[in-house]
Amino acid sequence: MFKKILIANRGEIAIRIARACHEMDISTIGVYSTVDANSRHLWHMDETVCIGEPAPQASYLNIKTIIEQARRTGAQAIHPGYGFLAENALFVKACEDAGIVFIGPSSKAMILVGDKVASRNTVKRVDVPIIPGMEASSTDLAAYRSMADQVGYPVIVKASMGGGGKGMRIVRSEKELEPSIAAGQREAQSAFGDATVYLEKYIQNPRHIEFQVIRDTHGNVVHLYERECSIQRRHQKIIEETPSPALDNVLRAKMGDAAKSVIKAADYTNAGTVEFLVDHNMKFYFLEVNARVQVEHPITEMVTGVDIVRHQILIAAGGELEFRQKDISQRGHAIESRIYAEDPDSNFMPSPGKILFLLEPSGPGIRVDSGIYQGWDVPPHYDPILSKLVTLAETREISIARMSKALENYIILGIKTNIGFLKRIVDTEKFITGEYDTHFIDDNEEALIPQHDKITQALVAASLVKTTRNAVFAVQSVAKSGQVRHAMTPWQELGHWEICSR
Ligand code: MV4
């Protein structure tokens, strides 16, 4: 086993990885940019190294510096976390060339799954359903025309090297086709440095369901069941749950087998996620493979009891999986809410700044993977994820109730967060019944947009200043009178306010 691992990331995921290392008696090297010198992830590391200026390109994305520091400190392996260099095949290759183990798939598997056209063809060969569409990219308009006619409008133009919705264009009629291809190519070129696009049938109102798979270098492959990821906004997932309320056990088993076939066909090792779209007729289609530990991995850990990060390290060191498919089952129901420093009142603009007060929820069935502390200044340079709140309970209903209350009890003062928005989601009828798809946020905008009821605000303000009764009681009284739909603590729901010292 490795003695030392460099963790090439920051925030909650760097801490999550450090915990696994420490349990395995592996020392950790943390890295930071100059603006992260006081960041919490460094508290959890045995050694720390500054790798450059705040701009990601100058630090967390600097391949040369990170490999140099791994060499200098004697790290035998690098864990990339998610984001930054996690799915960069050039980085994987640079690690391989430097004789440092990259904790993830080989550069060869990484290149294959990073290319959507190539992975569609790989997947097709093992009889896993793919979305009807082109088998090769083309620069010839006629090829797009004939495929669009064959599968029928609407169609979608996608970037082959893309992900996260960039370079994607929905095309509803033939006259939109040529401009959409051009726009997709331009966007793909600027986002990924590669203008290659292709065309597929557009699946309307799908669910997004992914399977966690793990495969060792000895040929053992196991899936750890699914995560329902349809609650997303602008291609950013915000709430995930497992089991999916949409799957029955027959479909679940079919998709789990398909996911394993995909991973084997790509000769992919380590932890990976196979994404599927599921349409209204419960037909599923392969979408893409994510070659990293995912933000939402904890819900899988909660219901299966498998420590995914520990197994990533074990597999990278040449070890064998400690379990087989028959050993794995789902027990209970887990939900994750992603806590962001952003302002739902102002189009979800990032809201960096100082955390003046912090109280994180805890209790039975509550896990908080947090990267923050009271007094810390959230920098503006990175993804504004602060932490992840995960609940586990014996049933979905109880897990939702647990999440709703835990969100209410998650107090972050000094910066804006999406906590109130998350609570409104889990309190929404269509979420509670499980009848939602990838359009849920757009379809329920009315109910999800902050109420900031004037009366509530006035009452809260008045009670804060004038009475001995607490403000929570005041808000809840208004809610019971039927004047507002969702009662929240004033910390989550009050509009614009700040703490001042006088
Ligand atoms: C699609 C699709 C419908 N039909 N492909 C969005 C991100 C990218 N990785 C793939 N995406 C989609 N591809 C076809 N042929 C709908 C989406 C999509 C989506 C997928 C997963 C989760 C959320 C989504 C939100 C909007 C669109």
Side-chain angles (χ1 to χ4, degrees):
M1 184 43 66
F2 307 121
K3 289 194 162 57
K4 248 187 188 189
I5 290 177
L6 184 145
I7 300 169
N9 216 299
R10 62 187 297 281
E12 65 84 20
I13 194 64
I15 296 169
R16 167 69 188 90
I17 297 160
R19 288 188 205 286
C21 292
H22 292 150
E23 286 177 11
M24 299 171 85
D25 281 323
I26 299 167
S27 346
T28 50
I29 297 147
V31 298
Y32 63 100
S33 72
T34 51
V35 79
D36 268 334
N38 295 315
S39 288
R40 182 171 149 193
H41 70 279
L42 303 177
W43 304 357
H44 299 256
M45 307 293 169
D46 296 307
E47 290 170 61
T48 63
V49 188
C50 182
I51 51 168
E53 296 294 309
Q57 284 297 343
S59 47
Y60 299 103
L61 289 174
N62 190 331
I63 294 178
K64 194 163 160 280
T65 304
I66 289 170
I67 292 200
E68 256 168 36
Q69 292 302 333
R71 271 234 176 89
R72 189 186 63 77
T73 54
Q76 297 146 302
I78 298 179
H79 198 306
Y82 55 72
F84 295 124
L85 295 170
E87 291 174 279
N88 185 323
L90 290 175
F91 180 60
V92 183
K93 188 70 174 51
C95 290
E96 288 167 359
D97 292 345
I100 295 164
V101 177
F102 175 83
I103 301 176
S106 67
S107 60
K108 192 159 167 263
M110 188 76 91
I111 289 165
L112 173 56
V113 303
D115 181 334
K116 306 293 174 289
V117 172
S119 49
R120 272 167 65 81
N121 287 310
T122 304
V123 164
K124 204 175 172 189
R125 279 200 293 278
V126 290
D127 263 349
V128 170
I130 60 171
I131 301 165
M134 283 161 56
E135 287 179 14
S137 173
S138 175
T139 48
D140 179 12
L141 180 62
Y144 290 85
R145 275 227 176 88
S146 88
M147 183 50 75
D149 287 339
Q150 191 186 318
V151 301
Y153 288 90
V155 295
I156 186 168
V157 173
K158 289 185 178 182
S160 188
M161 297 302 168
K166 280 213 187 83
M168 240 172 61
R169 284 285 185 291
I170 299 163
V171 187
R172 300 195 180 273
S173 68
E174 172 156 0
K175 80 171 177 13
E176 292 173 21
L177 188 57
E178 185 166 18
S180 296
I181 295 165
Q185 286 171 332
R186 253 181 283 115
E187 205 172 308
Q189 179 65 44
S190 83
F192 314 110
D194 183 314
T196 311
V197 299
Y198 67 104
L199 181 144
E200 286 175 1
K201 170 87 189 151
Y202 179 62
I203 311 286
Q204 314 232 30
N205 291 72
R207 283 187 178 251
H208 178 198
I209 298 176
E210 60 188 27
F211 274 71
Q212 177 72 60
V213 183
I214 194 154
R215 180 164 178 260
D216 66 22
T217 54
H218 307 275
N220 301 299
V221 58
V222 174
H223 76 75
L224 302 177
Y225 294 94
E226 81 278 13
R227 294 184 286 258
E228 168 67 68
C229 298
S230 298
I231 306 285
Q232 55 83 45
R233 198 189 150 269
R234 311 250 161 107
H235 304 297
Q236 277 268 43
K237 297 164 191 164
I238 45 187
I239 295 184
E240 307 92 359
E241 61 175 318
T242 185
S244 166
L247 298 187
D248 61 35
N249 283 336
V250 174
L251 184 54
R252 180 172 283 119
K254 271 194 193 142
M255 291 176 74
D257 283 344
K260 289 198 285 185
S261 301
V262 168
I263 290 296
K264 281 188 273 186
D267 196 14
Y268 183 106
T269 53
N270 215 285
T273 298
V274 181
E275 295 188 344
F276 297 100
L277 291 184
V278 179
D279 73 11
H280 271 153
N281 303 318
M282 298 310 287
K283 282 182 73 169
F284 71 89
Y285 304 91
F286 167 78
L287 195 57
E288 58 192 70
V289 175
N290 297 142
R292 60 177 185 275
V293 68
Q294 289 196 266
V295 177
E296 61 271 25
H297 79 277
I299 58 172
T300 299
E301 297 187 324
M302 297 291 258
V303 301
T304 62
V306 172
D307 184 331
I308 293 169
V309 179
R310 173 189 156 78
H311 279 88
Q312 284 192 289
I313 297 168
L314 197 76
I315 290 167
E320 251 197 74
L321 278 178
E322 291 169 335
F323 46 77
R324 298 292 178 262
Q325 194 65 58
K326 65 171 172 39
D327 304 317
I328 305 297
S329 58
Q330 298 172 299
R331 186 190 158 104
H333 192 99
I335 307 173
E336 172 181 276
S337 295
R338 301 187 185 188
I339 314 295
Y340 285 102
E342 64 184 19
D343 184 3
D345 276 352
S346 304
N347 201 25
F348 298 85
M349 281 278 286
S351 176
K354 203 181 200 57
I355 297 172
L356 298 175
F357 180 85
L358 177 65
L359 183 63
E360 302 197 303
S362 61
I366 292 176
R367 166 173 167 181
V368 184
D369 281 21
S370 174
I372 63 176
Y373 64 92
Q374 185 168 313
W376 183 53
D377 214 337
V378 181
H381 307 80
Y382 311 106
D383 184 82
I385 193 165
L386 299 173
S387 71
K388 303 178 311 205
L389 171 58
V390 185
T391 58
L392 174 69
E394 50 269 52
T395 66
R396 184 170 185 272
E397 193 182 358
I398 302 169
S399 199
I400 292 173
R402 189 163 278 173
M403 177 60 74
S404 180
K405 298 303 171 192
L407 286 165
E408 238 175 77
N409 292 328
Y410 205 146
I411 315 295
I412 302 175
L413 304 187
I415 55 173
K416 310 255 167 43
T417 76
N418 65 337
I419 293 173
F421 184 71
L422 292 166
K423 180 172 158 67
R424 284 188 292 279
I425 293 173
V426 301
D427 290 347
T428 299
E429 189 196 325
K430 288 294 179 196
F431 181 81
I432 293 169
T433 59
E435 298 164 89
Y436 62 80
D437 58 43
T438 48
H439 298 287
F440 172 85
I441 303 275
D442 290 337
D443 293 350
N444 292 275
E445 210 176 286
E446 245 253 75
L448 298 176
I449 240 55
Q451 310 277 304
H452 296 315
D453 188 281
K454 290 282 177 331
I455 297 167
T456 311
Q457 281 193 44
L459 253 172
V460 169
S463 68
L464 277 168
V465 178
K466 287 279 182 198
T467 77
T468 53
R469 283 199 195 165
N470 75 40
V472 178
F473 179 80
V475 182
Q476 285 173 347
S477 305
V478 178
K480 285 196 186 104
S481 77
Q483 292 184 56
V484 288
R485 256 179 300 171
H486 302 286
M488 280 289 279
T489 75
W491 310 125
Q492 316 297 14
E493 284 302 282
L494 204 55
H496 293 278
W497 62 281
E498 54 191 59
I499 292 179
C500 54
S501 51
R502 267 187 296 160

